[in-house]
Amino acid sequence: MSQPITPTLSHINQHGDANMVDVTHKATTTRTATAVGFIKMTQETLNLVIEGGNKKGDVLSVARIAGIQAAKKCGDLIPLCHPLMLTKVQVEFSIEREKNQIRVESLCKLTGQTGVEMEALTAVSVACLTLFDMCKAADPNMEIFGIRVLNKTGGKSGQWQAES
């Protein structure tokens, strides 16, 4: 039997065991989260994405749909996440030619009792993974990096912004 400890993480109970947080009595508020991530590739591969020359098809459209689906499935993928009724999932791409990379940004929104940071992070992660999958034949040396939450709103903690 584990020794009782003072919990400092919300998903660990007083015995140190994994625990899904009870949000029953939390206030229902509008909650948003924005996340970002990047995928770096060769200039030639980036040009294929921009010009629509990838043999697998429209890389950005497929990655956008994958990111949206992933956010909706976050509760199935991350063991202690609550299944959420998202009201908005947006995935956008910015081509950064000077750095040979694509910036992926997601926004998730709902009115509920728990935040949507994990859904936003999952959307970005899976969109980046899909970009990698669709471009790996041209550039197996791509790098996914910088995945993080940029900001969140709602709940008792209100607004939070990442440090720049």
Side-chain angles (χ1 to χ4, degrees):
M1 181 172 216
S2 357
Q3 287 288 53
I5 59 170
T6 304
T8 57
L9 300 174
S10 62
H11 288 80
I12 306 294
N13 69 13
Q14 65 271 18
H15 301 289
D17 301 322
N19 177 54
M20 187 171 175
V21 175
D22 183 357
V23 298
T24 305
H25 301 292
K26 288 177 83 175
T28 299
T29 63
T30 299
R31 297 161 186 262
T32 65
T34 304
V36 68
F38 301 85
I39 183 166
K40 189 170 189 62
M41 58 191 65
T42 64
Q43 182 179 353
E44 295 76 24
T45 303
L46 186 60
N47 288 338
L48 284 175
V49 172
I50 294 166
E51 297 163 7
N54 189 296
K55 291 179 183 177
K56 290 188 176 183
D58 185 346
V59 173
L60 296 178
S61 291
V62 173
R64 177 176 287 114
I65 297 294
I68 292 168
Q69 285 182 306
K72 292 170 20 179
K73 289 293 191 180
C74 185
D76 294 331
L77 297 170
I78 311 295
L80 300 178
C81 279
H82 295 84
L84 301 180
M85 292 295 296
L86 296 168
T87 57
K88 174 77 174 167
V89 179
Q90 182 177 313
V91 177
E92 298 296 333
F93 304 98
S94 301
I95 306 296
E96 298 180 350
R97 283 183 182 268
E98 68 286 349
K99 296 179 181 177
N100 292 327
Q101 66 189 29
I102 301 172
R103 181 182 200 269
V104 181
E105 187 171 314
S106 70
L107 165 70
C108 291
K109 184 177 182 180
L110 60 66
T111 299
Q113 296 167 291
T114 189
V116 290
E117 299 92 338
M118 293 308 300
E119 288 71 17
L121 288 166
T122 301
V124 165
S125 298
V126 171
C128 284
L129 289 169
T130 302
L131 291 170
F132 191 101
D133 180 54
M134 293 191 73
C135 297
K136 68 181 183 253
D139 185 2
N141 202 39
M142 289 175 288
E143 178 185 355
I144 295 170
F145 65 98
I147 297 173
R148 67 188 185 121
V149 175
L150 292 177
N151 59 63
K152 69 173 217 74
T153 65
K156 72 176 182 182
S157 60
Q159 270 191 291
W160 177 86
Q161 182 81 32
E163 295 176 12
S164 44

